[in-house]
Amino acid sequence: MEDSSRKKPSSVWEPRSRRRSWCCSFAVPPSSPDNFLVSRSRTPRTKSENVAKPSVSVPNSPQSSKSGLGLVGRIDPRRILSPGRVSPIDSDQNVESLAQEMRTENSAVVDSIVQPRVESFRAPKEKYRDPPASLSRSGSAVGCDKKDILFDVRLNLRAKNGGCLVLELNSEALCANSEVFSELIVKHKKDLGSNGSPSRSKLCRIEVPEVENLGVFRETIELMFEDNISKRLSKIGVYRAIDILEVSASIMFTKCVASCLKYLEAVPWTEEEEEKLRNLFIKVKFDDATSRDVMARLRLLDSVISQQGVASRLVWSISTCSNSIARNELKSLVKGLLCKSSVYEKDHLDLSEEDLYAVFHTCIASLVSLLKGSSHAVCPETHVKNITEKPLIEQIATEVDTINWLLEILLDWQMAEEFVNIWAEQKELIRMHDNTSPMVRYELSRVSANLFIAIGTRKLNCRSETRSGLLQAWFGPMLLDFGWLQRCKKGLDMKMLEEAMGQALLTLPMKQQHLLFMDWCRFFSKRGTECPNLSKSFQIWWRRSFLRGSETYSIESR
């Protein structure tokens, strides 16, 4: 058709015959996207190509069909065949034939869009030309032509999303690897032999509906023809291997199940992969002998170790840790694990309150002994120490950090009210606080500061007697140590501490508020910035104490 179109203009357009020569000595017009589509549309289409055959599945791509349809519809009769050159105008007859061919192309494309997406796969023939000895001895291939036994099973996989995949396989390979397919094929052969009709098809058709992932199912079938499944799994990866394990278990592909479990046990997992594997073991029951190694990594088998015992031992190990860097790392790690909002929390952790308070009492006893040693530091025998022993100030700071860390865990688990009672009853610590150097004793006020912040910010709710005992015992030492806390904050928010101290004082009865605010006023007048600024809370107490009626409410509302 193109040859005729070239000759035709030569007699009419004689002067332009020289312009028809193509650059770069092309014998034919160079292939371009437009020219390619037109030439493809002009190829003769047989009737068998337009009519879909029931036994053959052809892959379609709706998106590509739509894009090709739109491009063909936009072709102009004056087609650009190469950059900078325009072909001669075709005759009306050629244009009409082109339009007719485009209409047939459009109808074929629309038909392909309406049809569901179907893919086909045929196992490689060389895999079957020399069947294994086990299959040859079975006798099923004796006396039969190889063309008859190569692809005698058609496996039709239908996905949940509407897709379809057709696999043409060998019955001997399926029977040797899958017990499920073996039963279906044997049943088909029995029905075929009992019927005895030569017109009955020898092709065994098996349909698998509601397939989750067609690609995974196809990969699982392909593994039946792999000599080394473990090597193939190492290229696939853990996440895909878990999907293949699920499909293999469903079709009872025992060899692949064993290879998948062996591979999964030998490689590390991410948290997502571990959760996926755990859910699979909940849905599918595997043989104990083959899955025991993987199960040992997923959960504790035949173990009496409880979460409570592990948590208590972790807390004790941190309280006795001598390395400051390691102790800080472990503190943040264990706190994140024991926190209620932790992403690692799977079940409710029965954290023992007795174990935490046992560590707390141990730290307080250690503080008492250290402060006693600091009060006798002038004695000569105290200077004879081991060279590896840390300074006294550092030892006291370590114990205080451990106490504050325990307080954070108790506050998160809402078990800190007893902590307030124990700290308020430390009469010996309070007595030694007055006789100890300020550069040592201010560490004790760091514990009191965290308790005041917890009460003032509503994180800790305790009874009135408990709050009164805490403030009466540790409010005076806090006034003395506030200047040292300002100089050595160690992460303490001083503005928040001042605000929380005032709010904590306002939770007491009015009589106790009067006594404590008067003590603060006398102390503040002497030390100034070395004392916490409780002016806002003092004003609120003053209004509540000496202003009556509606004026009180109007001032407080402002």
Side-chain angles (χ1 to χ4, degrees), residues 360-374 392-401 403 423 426 428-429 432 436 440 443-444 447 474:
F360 177 44
H361 284 291
T362 303
C363 294
I364 290 180
S366 178
L367 275 178
V368 172
S369 62
L370 290 172
L371 289 175
K372 285 181 179 180
S374 66
L392 181 64
I393 299 177
E394 185 177 352
Q395 296 182 49
I396 294 175
T398 300
E399 299 296 335
V400 170
D401 288 341
I403 292 175
W423 188 249
Q426 298 303 315
E428 190 173 5
L429 281 178
M432 289 187 293
T436 308
V440 175
E443 291 286 351
L444 300 178
V447 180
W474 291 101

Side-chain angles (χ1 to χ4, degrees), residues 83-112:
R85 294 187 178 272
V86 182
S87 65
I89 301 176
D90 293 335
S91 61
D92 296 339
Q93 182 180 359
N94 293 333
V95 173
E96 291 178 0
S97 61
L98 175 63
Q100 183 177 0
E101 290 173 1
M102 285 193 297
R103 283 194 296 269
T104 57
E105 177 75 17
N106 297 348
S107 61
V109 171
V110 172
D111 292 340
S112 65

